[in-house]
Amino acid sequence: MSASFRLSSSLSPLQSRDLLKMRFLSPRIVVHNPVPFLMPMKTAHSRVVLPENVKVAASELAVTAGIPVGMTESGGLQVDLVTETDLKENGFRSTRRTKIVCTIGPRTCEFEEIEALAVGGMNVARVNMCHGTREWHRDVIRLVRRLNEEKGFAVAVMMDTEGSEIHMDDLNGAESAKAEDGEIWTFTVRTFDPSSCPERTVTVNYDGFAEDVKVGDELLVDGGMVRFVVTEKIGPDVICQCTDPGLLLPRANLTFWRNGSLVQERNAMLPTISSKDWLDIDFGIAEGVDFIAVSFVKSAEVIKTLKSYITARSPGSQIGVIAKIESIDSLRNLEEIIKASDGAMVARGDLGAQIPIEQVPSVQKRVVQLCRKLNKPVIVASQLLESMIEYPIPTRAEVADVSEAVRQQADALMLSSESAMGQFPEKALAVLRCVSLRIEKWRREEKHLDATDPSFVSFSTPPSISVEICNTASQMANKLKADAIFVYTKTGQTASLLSRNRPDCPIFAFTPSTSIRRCLNLQWGLIPFRLDFSDDVESNLYRTFSLLKAREMINSGDLIIVVSDVLQSIQAIKVP
Ligand SMILES: Nc1ncnc2c1ncn2[C@@H]1O[C@H](COP(=O)(O)OP(=O)(O)O)[C@@H](O)[C@H]1O
Ligand SMILES: C=C(OP(=O)(O)O)C(=O)O
Ligand SMILES: [K+]
Ligand SMILES: [Mg+2]
């Protein structure tokens, strides 16, 4: 591997006045005397400069460090060895803040393949119910769970609903079909036996299709990858001429446009959650997924309905509902939808088929900013590294697109076909990892958004003790150049509020719940650990210090800002 090594200077020597401990006991402020520190200090520690070379995986770092990739759990502190090695070798500040969602597909559904993705930095595994059978998805979900149990990872599972989109059938099992310029194709609601399907005929899943379209409409496959114009309607058959040739892929999505805008006829009345989706949702709840992403959300109502359904079916469940922003209607009701959800996804694939593509970047920025304001995690999805489905390196333009999402400080980036069926899933993941690290560092250096930046202090949330504590803790961490923020959180809420401030240092989130640990793995800058802790902040802290120090994940002299949602307190403390 090509990692280079560099010695970084040690933190300034510990002085007793530095030990001033600030504590905000809600809402009183108490300043304590310094506690004595008896442990000797290290003068310097070595750090690995993170390789910019995309070929280097965290697993290689683990191997270099002589550590097998697996789980470590001691004294009730649970973390995977990749995170542990990363912290040890690279230091806190270099850890990646932007999270990565990988769609699992035929290319990545074996245990070893999923493990390779986890080792490469996958935080969330997504299964797309548009494709495959429930049995297939069940196997994948169980493999992820096994991986977490055996190796200590906290990979969350996101189930993505099919939704009532209009799409083609599976092309009778063919990988693709080529439509040439000028060819006449038939799109129909009739179904055929594979053996008796006429040439250049595609079945469409929506019964009202032939009634909704008009002669002269433009038919876009996959948001315009292939285009047709409707020339004739004969009963259930819609006859079209190809105007932009290309490859038709199985179950590709279809939209039709009239006079330059999306046609919304009876198709607009299709339910957001179809009867098949409800069965998939039952399946997801039964399999204990962490997130359900709802496709083609139109209003907040459907999110509220789903959330109450989940609560009724599985009381006390932590399943987060993610609204996919990919339709015109979702843009009309954006704020309401995001408020009702537990997170959002900028699903640029379908979004770009519903609004003119040149509007997608500004919508992305708007959704990312709104989610931050409303303290909801946001995922930027689709076509980030599209060329890597076939090629081992991305285009420069793709790197620029990924960089922009990282600069916007989205919580997570998502791979779709790149990881589901592409030729280079691990390389694509490595590109997201390296670009994220580099751009995050650049952004910190530029200090475009530091503690004094009004955009972070002026979030218009209703005033609350937790919000103020988290804002103050983040500002303190930035001003004091703290090495990390530690948060002890039972519900995950305090960790989210800290993440929202996008502080300069990483946030170690300790939670007693394995499911909250997984959910936190979708959020920017959080390194989730499972830890049983008591209501005694002091003893939690010293126990954590000794557990982390024993494993060299922190060092004497590291400055830590400590926040607890149990006591609603802040402390600034140097590791003894
Ligand atoms: N479970 C699966 N079974 C078969 N193919 C899959 C599966 N999941 C994903 N894929 C493939 O990966 C591609 C990208 O996945 P995704 O972005 O989730 O779907 P889509 O492109 O249909 O929106 C799909 O078009 C499909 O070819
Ligand atoms: C993520 C998206 O949804 P799906 O892959 O399910 O179409 C998208 O449309 O960008
Ligand atoms: K979907
Ligand atoms: Mg979509």
Side-chain angles (χ1 to χ4, degrees), residues 126-131 159-163 165 277 293-296 324 326 350:
R126 165 185 180 254
V127 289
N128 188 350
M129 303 310 280
C130 279
H131 306 282
M159 190 195 87
D160 195 323
T161 64
E162 176 166 346
E165 61 168 353
D277 290 338
V294 186
S295 294
F296 298 101
K324 289 174 71 184
E326 54 182 345
D350 283 299

Side-chain angles (χ1 to χ4, degrees), residues 401-437:
D401 176 53
V402 172
S403 303
E404 178 56 19
V406 175
R407 279 183 75 80
Q408 288 172 3
Q409 297 185 304
D411 287 84
L413 309 173
M414 189 170 106
L415 295 177
S416 293
S417 302
E418 300 94 329
S419 56
M421 40 79 89
Q423 289 186 50
F424 305 101
E426 289 167 47
K427 286 203 164 110
L429 180 56
V431 170
L432 290 191
R433 199 177 64 233
C434 291
V435 175
S436 299
L437 282 166

Side-chain angles (χ1 to χ4, degrees), residues 105-160:
R107 176 62 186 77
T108 39
C109 59
E110 300 292 333
F111 185 78
E112 293 70 28
E113 291 160 344
I114 298 175
E115 183 177 10
L117 293 178
V119 168
M122 166 174 70
N123 303 101
V124 179
R126 165 185 180 254
V127 289
N128 188 350
M129 303 310 280
C130 279
H131 306 282
T133 60
R134 266 180 216 130
E135 288 63 43
W136 186 93
H137 290 109
R138 173 176 297 129
D139 288 346
V140 168
I141 294 168
R142 291 185 180 178
L143 289 179
V144 175
R145 188 172 315 143
R146 197 181 114 202
L147 179 73
N148 286 342
E149 278 162 12
E150 288 179 6
K151 312 270 168 133
F153 287 103
V155 175
V157 173
M158 177 180 294
M159 190 195 87
D160 195 323

Side-chain angles (χ1 to χ4, degrees), residues 539-559:
S539 85
N540 293 335
L541 189 57
Y542 284 91
R543 210 174 106 236
T544 317
F545 280 169
S546 74
L547 285 169
L548 291 173
K549 276 187 70 178
R551 284 147 66 169
E552 296 172 57
M553 290 159 82
I554 57 170
N555 294 288
S556 295
D558 286 342
L559 178 63

Side-chain angles (χ1 to χ4, degrees), residues 213-321:
V213 293
K214 283 189 181 163
V215 170
D217 283 355
E218 227 193 339
L219 185 68
L220 272 64
V221 181
D222 237 346
M225 300 308 282
V226 189
R227 281 170 204 255
F228 295 86
V229 61
V230 177
T231 54
E232 198 182 351
K233 288 189 357 176
I234 311 173
D237 297 346
V238 176
I239 316 298
C240 302
Q241 183 171 28
C242 181
T243 50
D244 273 334
L247 278 188
L248 304 177
L249 297 174
R251 300 176 78 78
N253 137 306
L254 298 174
T255 45
F256 37 109
W257 290 58
R258 197 172 293 151
N259 307 322
S261 3
L262 185 78
V263 175
Q264 290 195 296
E265 299 272 338
R266 287 182 318 152
N267 60 354
M269 309 303 286
L270 290 170
T272 303
I273 301 181
S274 69
S275 43
K276 187 238 177 202
D277 290 338
W278 282 115
L279 294 175
D280 287 339
I281 288 165
D282 282 344
F283 159 82
I285 295 172
E287 288 300 315
V289 300
D290 301 293
F291 298 102
I292 296 179
V294 186
S295 294
F296 298 101
V297 171
K298 293 177 200 153
S299 69
E301 259 42 65
V302 72
I303 301 287
K304 291 177 189 160
T305 307
L306 177 57
K307 282 183 71 79
S308 12
Y309 182 76
I310 294 171
T311 310
R313 286 303 290 255
S314 171
S317 112
Q318 316 282 354
I319 301 175
V321 174

